[in-house]
Amino acid sequence: MRLLASTDFALRVLMRLGADPARHRSTETLAADIGVPRNHLHKIVQDLAEAGLVRTLRGARGGVMLAKSPGEISVGAVVRRLERGQALVECFRPDGGACCLAPDCRLRNVLWRAREAFLAELDATTLAACVAPPRPMPQAVGDDAAP
Amino acid sequence: MRLLASTDFALRVLMRLGADPARHRSTETLAADIGVPRNHLHKIVQDLAEAGLVRTLRGARGGVMLAKSPGEISVGAVVRRLERGQALVECFRPDGGACCLAPDCRLRNVLWRAREAFLAELDATTLAACVAPPRPMPQAVGDDAAP
């Protein structure tokens, strides 16, 4: 069972932005942090913006930031949105696929319930709950204090 | 969220065999039923045999049949086995992957619980519960009865 690599990366983008939601980050920084090529990141950010999860700021001091507070972002809603084109198995495809077992198959219902159980766990979680609180900055003792 | 195509096909093989567990089927018949090339089916059957789920009978009247009764086959155990090499996201890989959020990420635990919820639904189901009872043959009224 796999999520799309683009969903994995998108979750990392949200986690990065959610760690300091008042701050915007450049796509260059995000791409380097997450380890994806910049054009791949651009597509991910575009998807997240279309989903209303991030907003992009243009210009020299532009970048990306969350469009909502982390407490308003459900991990389940994010995964449902980003994986909306994915069929767990053939018969979950919008066109019904071409499985020899349809339409009398009871396995389909079992797999459907299992997928819902997976998503229900994520629905119950917000980005805020996933983002670790920022670490306190080390307290400087003097100007020459080691970082 | 997707399962491997080979897992999807393997589940169909088990469903087909489970519908009439006393009967063995040739790989040709199964491949045609399920709509996969024969050499692909051969690999799937080999995996299922290694997992102790089916046994293969050699010879002219050979074929494949379940190695256990459908009531003894847990759908969860089948999916866990067939998807054992699959990482839901990067950090589920056996080597830990290369995610920028590790090791402080709380999202990982959420995804882990979600995957377990998915598998728990399948663990609670046997192949017997998924296989629809065979339909009764239409009762012939006379030799000329319409099928």
Side-chain angles (χ1 to χ4, degrees):
Chain A
M1 184 165 77
R2 289 161 300 160
L3 296 182
L4 292 169
S6 57
T7 301
D8 187 348
F9 290 130
L11 288 169
R12 294 186 217 177
V13 167
L14 294 174
M15 289 283 288
R16 275 291 193 212
L17 297 177
D20 193 356
R23 182 177 153 204
H24 65 267
R25 287 174 187 254
S26 72
T27 49
E28 286 84 351
T29 309
L30 279 172
D33 273 5
I34 290 166
V36 293
R38 205 178 141 201
N39 57 356
H40 192 166
L41 187 83
H42 182 72
K43 174 75 180 65
I44 290 166
V45 166
Q46 209 169 24
D47 282 354
L48 290 172
E50 278 170 20
L53 295 164
V54 303
R55 60 194 181 96
T56 53
L57 313 167
R58 296 187 181 227
R61 293 172 57 84
V64 190
M65 66 191 300
L66 290 185
K68 300 173 177 184
S69 81
E72 290 173 310
I73 297 177
S74 147
V75 177
V78 172
V79 171
R80 285 177 195 271
R81 163 85 192 202
L82 299 173
E83 296 277 322
R84 67 193 180 286
Q86 296 303 303
L88 182 71
V89 287
E90 172 92 7
C91 62
F92 281 37
R93 283 171 40 188
D95 64 1
C99 177
C100 59
L101 303 174
D104 293 328
C105 176
R106 296 187 195 176
L107 180 60
R108 186 179 194 278
N109 291 346
V110 175
L111 290 168
W112 195 275
R113 283 202 307 274
R115 193 185 62 166
E116 285 309 305
F118 174 87
L119 291 168
E121 277 290 334
L122 304 185
D123 286 341
T125 309
T126 65
L127 186 63
C130 297
V131 178
R135 293 183 178 177
M137 290 292 284
Q139 207 161 14
V141 180
D143 285 341
D144 296 322
Chain B
M1 184 165 78
R2 290 162 300 160
L3 296 182
L4 293 170
S6 58
T7 301
D8 188 347
F9 290 130
L11 288 169
R12 295 187 216 177
V13 167
L14 294 175
M15 289 284 286
R16 275 291 193 214
L17 298 177
D20 193 356
R23 181 176 154 204
H24 64 269
R25 289 174 186 253
S26 71
T27 49
E28 286 84 351
T29 309
L30 279 172
D33 274 4
I34 289 165
V36 293
R38 205 177 141 201
N39 59 354
H40 192 166
L41 186 84
H42 182 72
K43 174 75 179 65
I44 289 165
V45 166
Q46 209 170 25
D47 282 355
L48 291 172
E50 278 170 20
L53 295 164
V54 303
R55 59 196 180 95
T56 52
L57 313 166
R58 297 190 180 223
R61 294 172 56 85
V64 190
M65 65 190 301
L66 290 185
K68 300 174 177 183
S69 81
E72 290 173 311
I73 296 177
S74 149
V75 177
V78 172
V79 170
R80 284 176 194 272
R81 164 82 192 207
L82 298 173
E83 297 277 322
R84 66 194 181 286
Q86 296 304 302
L88 183 71
V89 287
E90 172 92 7
C91 61
F92 281 37
R93 284 172 38 188
D95 64 1
C99 176
C100 59
L101 303 172
D104 293 329
C105 176
R106 296 186 195 175
L107 180 60
R108 186 179 194 277
N109 290 346
V110 175
L111 290 169
W112 195 275
R113 283 203 307 274
R115 193 184 62 164
E116 284 308 305
F118 175 87
L119 291 168
E121 277 289 332
L122 304 185
D123 286 341
T125 308
T126 66
L127 186 63
C130 297
V131 178
R135 291 183 179 179
M137 290 294 283
Q139 207 161 11
V141 180
D143 286 338
D144 297 321

